[in-house]
Amino acid sequence: MKTVLRIFLYLIIVVVVVLVGFVGFIQLRGIPKYEVKKIDYPQVQYDSAMIAHGQKIAAVQCVACHRGSDGKLSGRLLNELPPDFGEIHSANITQSKENGIGNWTDEQIAYLLRTGVKPDGQFLPAYMPKFPHLSEYDLKCIIAFLRSGTPVVQPSEIAKIPSKPSFLTKFLCLVAFKEIPYPATAIPEPDTSNAVEFGKYLVVGRYDCYPCHSADFKTLNQAQPELSGGFLGGGNKMVSLDGKERLTANITFDEETGIGRWTLDDFRNAMINSKSKDGHALRDPMLPYNGMTETEIKSIYAYLQTVPKIKNKVDRKWDQD
């Protein structure tokens, strides 16, 4: 009996040592770095139309997270993220050469947006959107906006506050959150005459709806969005500006728990005016998409009807407060 107890004790010690070593390895390793591969990306030539289009995309993808206390895209604490990720601060992406991205090349900006890897090789986890599916034109338009004379991207000397990622975030960067390979070929413009295909592009590419509206940031598949856990079925935990936890809506066409009974008019009203089918206001962090065109709204609606339905009843009581 003593021998059995001794062996059992040794096993426990071994397990504890392995766990402590593993935790120590993850903490010391931190967020990984990757090799920054050379891509052939000439400096973007742009015009006022490209700047306007890039600003429209940035209004959804960049401004909400990067607008700082000075009104420019100087970065801030992302307090709407689940606390599981740690204390995360967005970067200063103004034209400041000291504190922003004023010294970055167009190639470096494109590489980060596609892969999630900064010029120094540092990887940005899932809380930073990646755009491997964005058309080349849309990508160039975002770069054009960042290079433009638009006030929000003019130099701000607010220094970025270093993030403090949690152990969970560091661990997920080992097993789940990975660098996304840079596309081997240029991604063409979507076929706007095919409503379903264009709608898919808008949801997983240009407007990136799926990260918030799928089950959990921790189970996103940014390389293959439709393989994300609970794709568009809602229930992802976020935090509102007043510090209250919010669960994102199920936007599959399940009739009981999703938007299967919504008409196109209902959907349009939600996107443009932030009103649900029953007339209640949709709360932050959901933004009004009042810059969307009618073609975009109709296409997203058409695509969502093709997405596999998920029966997931999300508690949305705060929409009725």
Side-chain angles (χ1 to χ4, degrees), residues 2 16 18 28 46 74 83-84 86 91 106 115 145 156 163 181 185 190 197 206 234 265-266 280 291 297 300 313:
K2 290 182 178 180
V16 170
V18 169
L28 290 174
Y46 56 87
S74 52
D84 296 349
D106 291 356
T115 69
F145 163 71
S156 168
S163 294
T185 58
E197 285 303 310
R206 181 181 294 170
D265 285 341
D266 294 330
H280 287 102
I297 291 171
I300 294 174
K313 185 173 178 56

Side-chain angles (χ1 to χ4, degrees), residues 52-66:
H53 186 60
Q55 185 171 7
K56 172 184 170 179
I57 298 172
V60 175
Q61 298 288 20
C62 312
V63 174
C65 290
H66 287 277

Side-chain angles (χ1 to χ4, degrees), residues 26-55:
I26 296 296
Q27 290 285 25
L28 290 174
R29 174 180 181 268
I31 305 297
K33 286 192 172 185
Y34 290 94
E35 176 188 358
V36 179
K37 299 179 177 64
K38 178 67 178 176
I39 60 173
D40 183 16
Y41 203 87
Q43 185 174 352
V44 173
Q45 303 299 313
Y46 56 87
D47 55 25
S48 59
M50 292 178 68
I51 293 173
H53 186 60
Q55 185 171 7

Side-chain angles (χ1 to χ4, degrees), residues 196-211:
V196 171
E197 285 303 310
F198 185 43
K200 176 181 176 180
Y201 171 75
L202 297 173
V203 169
V204 305
R206 181 181 294 170
Y207 295 127
D208 217 35
C209 310
Y210 77 93

Side-chain angles (χ1 to χ4, degrees), residues 205-251:
R206 181 181 294 170
Y207 295 127
D208 217 35
C209 310
Y210 77 93
C212 292
H213 283 283
S214 295
D216 197 310
F217 288 115
K218 296 187 283 294
T219 57
L220 291 180
N221 188 327
Q222 292 179 306
Q224 297 176 279
E226 290 172 299
L227 298 182
S228 298
F231 181 67
L232 300 181
N236 199 356
K237 291 181 181 179
M238 300 186 73
V239 180
S240 66
L241 294 176
D242 59 6
K244 295 180 181 179
E245 184 178 278
R246 303 287 197 236
L247 300 179
T248 59
N250 179 348
I251 58 172

